């Protein structure tokens, strides 16, 4: 019999990890008090990533080769979405090649938007992809700059063979303003962390957890995995102690390796718990922000056969230590470097052409000739096959999840790039087809003729006059982050 | 079998400006300068021109999208003027229009003009521009050196050539062209360089360094063509004749067909060369063609083109180059005028500049750089676009 619950999960972390010591070294003259935070590293999105692209990558990790045709809904929860008025989840839907008749929505409004979206989805009847993703932005020399990270997590819920079922859930809403950011502003304004700890985490959050556990008749010391999206390790342990949860069952917050990735963070920690959970174990998931969401799951036997398509551990390990604080500031728009005249190319994107080509541009949809089997990108009226000239025989053929091999490449130091040199080249796609595109997250050591690559959804360019972002697919080394 | 244009059209006059950073000039004055030389050379009057073609590569930098700027600059007698744009093959395509008109009998005397005013951009290199709305969504907006640099890695892989050997052969190409350009009073870059200068230069697009890239110049070049009979009436007893013109244009196979083109050669150049040799009646280009001007936008382009023109064996061009086969005193001199590398590369003019040099060499009028062995057959190769998608144009002229 079909049951409802969590069907799959995935996360995405950018490869670069900014060294907090590098940030502190640049800022210590001004903010020597940051010394205590100058340990470990945080994930930083590349210049061509944002909440949408990271949401797509987390969802690809979540979906793997699952049939996407039966996904009914997608919710993208974030407080740093690139568009205020253009459905961000709609871009994700196109990139994932989901059906046109899906329900799609953006969710935001605070740090528990991800857990709220997950709770709503679990209590609904649709097969829904719940994504939390943020590209965090904070003032230079702030605590947030050191504590935050970039990343995304994606949870597929619905009917099927769930790996975890929802036992019970509870939410409370209180206008507790620990931090805020007005519409149109770039940075958060934060209130004293001691107050947030005492009245926020220790009261509002802990009380909500207590209510749920009582409602579910669950003994706190019997909960094997507890997700508190609270950066300060001591606070998480204090909450656990107050409620009676074993402190060793509190899931790692990954402050040392990643930082707090925002709305996606509780979902990211949930993926970590699911990677380790055994049948019958319970997972408590909490989200905090102007109140709290608390969800209690029970892991099923299906977890035994479940293999994550791309594990969080592998992504944590697939890292490049980054000591370049200036590059981070530049990519976040916090330092305006002289980009030269070549950067002045107008990137205007007509809505008409994007709509016509959305499947190729956003979904990397190629085509396959039904007569000759020739695969090509993009689709065209007449087949590229020189021996065929077949007209109107091309059927959709998705290419995004295929691997490919480098045919040619260069590292271009002349073209404008936010992260020069620009690597690009031509790739032959395994199974047919060819794509000339940019490479992302590579160094000179990563590229050679014949090297295997895979495709990722990235920002191609930004129209800075009209503030539109153009997305396309780029190639990264095939083994990067793969399990 | 197409009849072709062989021996149907004669070049009776050509002109070419000094190429370079012509800060004082705009497209109009450059066109007038080239035309004045050509019309004096041809000994015809402007009123005798029946039709004209204007080749310009970058609209926005120059004259705008029509034939009007040429008609206006030269005060042509209200004849038909078509503007031609075909990337860097524009100059040859402009020549092709004029030659076809004469060969068809539609014009007695026709003019082909190519001009480019690039030095109004505010930076070195070619202008950055859109290549169409669809391309801008899913193509790579790379630089010209970035596009052409991509031949190197597949060439190395295919032929087992080391990075160092290929770099040295590429450097030899540039050293040779600088030596040639130094002897050309109209060349943009007139300084000899040594191989270490090339090898030690900063990288523009791996593996191309600064000296692997051609000059970006202002300039104009033009040709006045007519029938051999009219040429004779004009007193040109032994005119330079057009032996063949062939264009080959990519249709997406290189760009889209997985497992097809291997990235190590120019598909279109091989097609255009095969057709051009057939049209001109050349069976062994290595021994029959006396000198060549090729589209050496980058050293690697020239290197690979030696194979695509079937003069060097596949995988062997780098050795021929290092052996001096293409030097000014070699068996088949290549870029005896300095080439795009040093004569300069005003896009719309370049194809006509190559023909200009061949025209002078065939007539023994090339001054200090004149090839001594009385060349009789000369080839020019003009390429636009990128290795993966381009227009390749070949013109063979002879006595």
């Amino acid at each position: 019999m079909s049951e409802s619950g969590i069907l799959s999960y995935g996360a995405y972390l950018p490869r670069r990890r900014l060294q907090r010591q590098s940030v502190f070294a640049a800022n210590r003259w001004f903010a020597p008090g940051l010394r205590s935070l100058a340990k470990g590293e945080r994930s930083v999105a590349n210049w061509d990533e944002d909440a949408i692209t990271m949401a797509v990558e987390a969802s690809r990790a979540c979906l793997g080769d699952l049939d996407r045709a039966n996904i009914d809904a997608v919710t993208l929860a974030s407080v740093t979405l690139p568009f205020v008025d253009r459905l961000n989840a709609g871009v994700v839907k196109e990139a994932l090649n989901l059906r046109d008749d899906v329900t799609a929505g953006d969710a935001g409004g605070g740090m528990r938007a991800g857990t709220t979206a997950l709770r709503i989805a679990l209590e609904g009847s649709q097969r829904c992809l719940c994504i939390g993703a943020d590209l965090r932005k904070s003032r230079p020399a702030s605590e947030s700059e050191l504590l935050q990270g970039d990343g995304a997590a994606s949870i597929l819920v619905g009917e099927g063979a769930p790996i975890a079922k929802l036992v019970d859930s509870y939410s409370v809403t209180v206008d507790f303003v620990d931090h805020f950011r007005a519409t149109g502003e770039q940075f958060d304004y934060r209130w004293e962390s001691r107050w947030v700890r005492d009245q926020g985490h220790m009261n509002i959050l802990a009380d909500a957890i207590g209510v749920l556990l009582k409602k579910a008749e669950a003994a706190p010391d019997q909960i094997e995995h507890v997700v508190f999206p609270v950066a300060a390790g001591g606070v998480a342990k204090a909450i656990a102690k107050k409620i009676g949860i074993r402190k060793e069952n509190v899931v790692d917050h990954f402050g040392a390796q990643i930082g707090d990735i925002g709305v996606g963070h509780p979902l990211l920690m949930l993926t970590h718990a699911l990677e380790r959970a055994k049948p019958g174990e319970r997972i408590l998931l909490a989200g905090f922000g102007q109140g709290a969401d608390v969800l209690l799951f029970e892991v099923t036997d299906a977890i035994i056969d479940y293999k994550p398509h791309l594990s969080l551990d592998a992504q944590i390990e697939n890292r490049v230590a980054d000591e370049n604080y200036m590059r981070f500031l530049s990519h976040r728009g916090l330092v305006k470097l002289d980009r030269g005249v070549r950067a002045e190319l107008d990137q205007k994107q007509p809505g008409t052409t994007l709509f016509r080509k959305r499947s190729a541009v956003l979904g990397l949809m190629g085509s396959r000739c039904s007569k000759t089997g020739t695969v090509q990108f993009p689709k065209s009226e007449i087949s590229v096959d020189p021996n065929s000239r077949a007209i109107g025989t091309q059927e959709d053929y998705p290419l995004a999840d295929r691997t490919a091999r480098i045919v040619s490449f260069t590292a271009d130091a002349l073209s404008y790039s936010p992260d020069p040199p620009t690597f690009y080249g031509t790739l032959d796609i395994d199974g047919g087809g060819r794509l000339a595109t940019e490479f992302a997250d590579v160094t000179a050591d990563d590229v050679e003729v014949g090297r295997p690559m895979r495709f990722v959804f990235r920002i191609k360019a930004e129209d800075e006059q009209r503030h539109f972002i153009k997305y396309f697919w780029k190639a990264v080394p095939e083994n990067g982050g793969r399990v | 079998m197409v009849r072709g244009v062989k021996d149907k059209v004669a070049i009776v006059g050509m002109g070419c400006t000094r190429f370079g950073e012509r800060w004082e000039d705009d497209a109009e004055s450059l066109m007038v300068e080239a035309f004045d030389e050509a019309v004096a050379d041809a000994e015809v009057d402007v009123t005798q021109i029946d039709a004209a073609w204007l080749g310009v590569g970058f609209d926005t930098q120059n004259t705008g999208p029509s034939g009007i700027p040429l008609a206006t600059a030269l005060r042509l007698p209200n004849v038909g003027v078509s503007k031609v744009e075909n990337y860097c093959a524009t100059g040859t395509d402009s020549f092709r229009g004029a030659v076809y008109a004469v060969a068809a009998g539609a014009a007695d005397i026709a003019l082909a003009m190519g001009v480019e005013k690039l030095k109004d951009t505010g930076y070195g290199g070619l202008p950055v521009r859109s290549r169409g709305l669809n391309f801008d969504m899913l193509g790579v907006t790379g630089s010209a050196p970035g596009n052409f640099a991509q031949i190197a890695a597949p060439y190395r892989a295919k032929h087992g050539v080391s990075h160092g050997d290929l770099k040295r052969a590429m450097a030899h190409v540039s050293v040779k062209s600088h030596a040639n350009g130094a002897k050309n009073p109209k060349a943009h870059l007139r300084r000899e360089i040594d191989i270490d200068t090339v090898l030690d230069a900063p990288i523009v697009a791996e593996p191309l360094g600064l000296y692997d890239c051609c000059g970006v110049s202002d300039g104009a070049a033009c040709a006045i063509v007519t029938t051999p009979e009219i040429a004779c009436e004009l007193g040109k007893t032994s005119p330079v004749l057009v032996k063949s013109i062939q264009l080959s244009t990519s249709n997406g196979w290189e760009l889209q067909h997985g497992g097809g083109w291997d990235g190590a050669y120019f598909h279109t150049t091989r097609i255009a060369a095969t057709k051009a040799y057939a049209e001109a009646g050349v069976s062994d280009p290595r021994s029959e063609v006396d000198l060549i001007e090729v589209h050496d936008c980058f050293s690697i382009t020239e290197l690979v083109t030696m194979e695509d023109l079937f003069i060097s064996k596949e995988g062997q061009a780098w050795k021929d180059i290092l052996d001096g086969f293409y030097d000014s005193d070699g068996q088949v001199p290549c870029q005896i005028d300095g080439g795009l590398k040093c004569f300069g590369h005003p896009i719309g003019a370049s194809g006509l500049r190559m023909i200009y040099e061949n025209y002078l060499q065939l007539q023994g009028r090339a001054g200090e750089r004149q090839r001594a062995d009385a060349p009789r057959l000369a080839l020019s190769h003009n390429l636009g676009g990128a290795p993966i998608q381009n227009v390749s144009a070949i013109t063979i002229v002879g006595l």
Side-chain angles (χ1 to χ4, degrees), chain B residues 107-155:
Chain B
D108 281 343
I109 298 179
L111 170 69
M113 173 69 75
V115 65
E116 209 75 38
K117 176 65 197 174
L118 289 172
K119 298 307 297 179
D120 285 331
T121 52
Y123 55 92
L126 294 178
V128 182
R129 64 172 175 181
S130 166
R131 283 160 66 186
L133 294 173
N134 283 349
F135 179 90
D136 288 349
M137 290 188 290
L138 41 76
V140 176
T141 316
S143 66
N147 285 331
F148 282 87
Q150 289 181 64
I151 321 170
Y155 185 91

Side-chain angles (χ1 to χ4, degrees), chain B residues 231-245:
Chain B
C232 205
E233 290 166 18
L234 290 168
K236 317 286 180 188
T237 50
S238 179
V240 173
L241 297 173
V242 177
K243 301 295 180 182
S244 68
I245 303 181

Side-chain angles (χ1 to χ4, degrees), chain B residues 249-297:
Chain B
T249 309
S250 291
N251 64 9
W253 177 73
E254 302 100 302
L255 179 67
Q256 288 180 285
H257 201 277
W261 177 66
D262 61 21
Y265 66 101
F266 289 87
H267 180 56
T268 53
T269 297
R270 292 184 179 188
I271 294 167
T274 302
K275 289 182 175 176
Y277 293 139
E279 185 176 27
V282 171
S283 55
D284 179 19
R286 193 174 170 100
S287 64
E288 290 179 57
V289 175
D290 296 317
L291 77 161
I292 55 178
E293 289 286 327
V294 304
H295 200 85
D296 58 326
C297 50

Side-chain angles (χ1 to χ4, degrees), chain A residues 10 95 140 180 270 307 309 353 371 381 420:
Chain A
F180 69 92
L270 174 62
K307 290 269 181 296
H309 305 292
T353 56
K371 279 170 68 181
E381 296 296 323

Side-chain angles (χ1 to χ4, degrees), chain A residues 77-91:
Chain A
S78 172
V79 292
T80 54
L81 291 172
F83 291 93
V84 174
D85 191 347
R86 175 198 183 185
L87 190 61
N88 297 275
V91 182

Side-chain angles (χ1 to χ4, degrees), chain A residues 152-456:
Chain A
S154 182
I155 313 284
L156 181 68
V157 304
E159 292 204 350
I163 53 176
K165 292 188 292 184
L166 185 68
V167 177
D168 208 343
S169 57
Y170 177 71
S171 294
V172 59
T173 299
V174 187
D175 188 29
F176 179 81
V177 189
D178 58 337
H179 72 276
F180 69 92
R181 175 160 52 91
T183 302
E185 291 298 311
Q186 293 191 68
F187 306 112
D188 298 345
Y189 187 87
R190 297 187 167 271
W191 211 252
E192 187 183 0
S193 61
R194 299 169 67 82
W195 174 68
V196 177
R197 178 193 66 194
D198 291 350
Q199 291 210 286
H201 296 134
M202 294 300 288
N203 282 353
I204 299 171
L205 179 58
D207 288 354
I209 293 167
V211 171
L212 176 75
L213 294 179
K214 193 172 179 189
K215 189 156 86 89
E217 296 178 356
D221 62 351
Q222 302 294 305
I223 311 291
E224 287 87 355
H225 309 273
V226 181
V227 174
F228 295 138
V230 179
V235 176
K237 298 256 162 58
I239 300 169
K241 187 176 181 188
K242 181 179 178 185
I243 302 166
I245 289 167
R246 292 171 193 267
K247 66 180 181 190
E248 62 269 26
N249 289 349
V250 174
V251 174
D252 187 1
H253 184 271
F254 298 108
Q257 304 102 314
I258 302 171
D260 191 302
I261 67 163
V263 167
H265 207 83
L267 306 186
L268 183 89
M269 293 171 72
L270 174 62
T271 69
H272 180 72
L274 286 165
E275 279 181 9
R276 278 156 180 75
K278 297 182 180 66
E281 291 184 344
R282 292 183 167 206
I283 300 173
L284 180 77
L285 170 67
F288 179 74
Q290 285 76 59
D293 296 316
V294 195
L295 294 84
L296 184 64
F297 295 96
E298 184 173 314
V299 177
T300 74
D301 291 343
I303 200 101
I304 296 168
D305 295 325
Y306 180 86
K307 290 269 181 296
H309 305 292
L310 182 56
S311 77
L312 182 62
D313 287 344
Q315 297 218 48
I316 289 171
E317 274 174 38
N318 178 33
R319 59 183 276 288
V320 177
D322 184 358
E323 296 177 350
N324 194 336
Y325 179 55
M326 269 299 281
R327 177 170 58 196
F328 167 78
L329 292 178
S330 172
H331 287 180
R332 286 295 191 279
L334 297 168
V335 168
K336 295 288 185 189
L337 301 179
D338 179 9
R339 304 188 304 180
V341 186
R342 286 174 190 282
E344 292 172 7
L345 179 69
D346 189 357
Q347 293 286 355
K348 185 175 185 175
Q349 173 62 67
T352 47
T353 56
L354 178 58
F355 181 67
R356 279 200 298 274
K357 302 290 182 193
R358 65 189 184 281
S359 181
V361 174
L362 299 177
L364 201 65
M365 184 62 74
S367 60
R368 186 174 177 277
C369 176
S370 58
K371 279 170 68 181
T372 65
T374 297
V375 177
Q376 67 175 70
F377 178 88
K379 188 188 256 186
S380 56
E381 296 296 323
I382 302 174
S383 169
V384 73
D385 195 327
N387 301 315
S388 160
R389 296 195 52 77
I391 301 175
T393 58
Q394 293 180 47
E395 297 165 346
D396 280 353
Y397 191 79
L399 297 172
D401 291 328
R402 301 230 161 226
T403 51
R405 269 146 227 289
I406 296 175
V407 175
S408 69
F409 67 91
T410 190
D412 184 346
L414 187 62
S415 294
Y416 167 70
S417 166
D419 195 13
T422 318
F423 286 86
Y424 52 86
T426 300
L427 302 121
D428 270 354
I429 300 164
D430 297 334
R434 172 170 282 190
L435 183 68
T437 192
E438 287 177 39
F439 300 168
D441 301 347
V442 292
T443 63
D445 295 336
D446 295 321
V447 290
E448 190 45 84
V449 172
R451 284 279 172 86
M453 306 285 276
R454 64 189 172 89
F455 299 114
V456 291

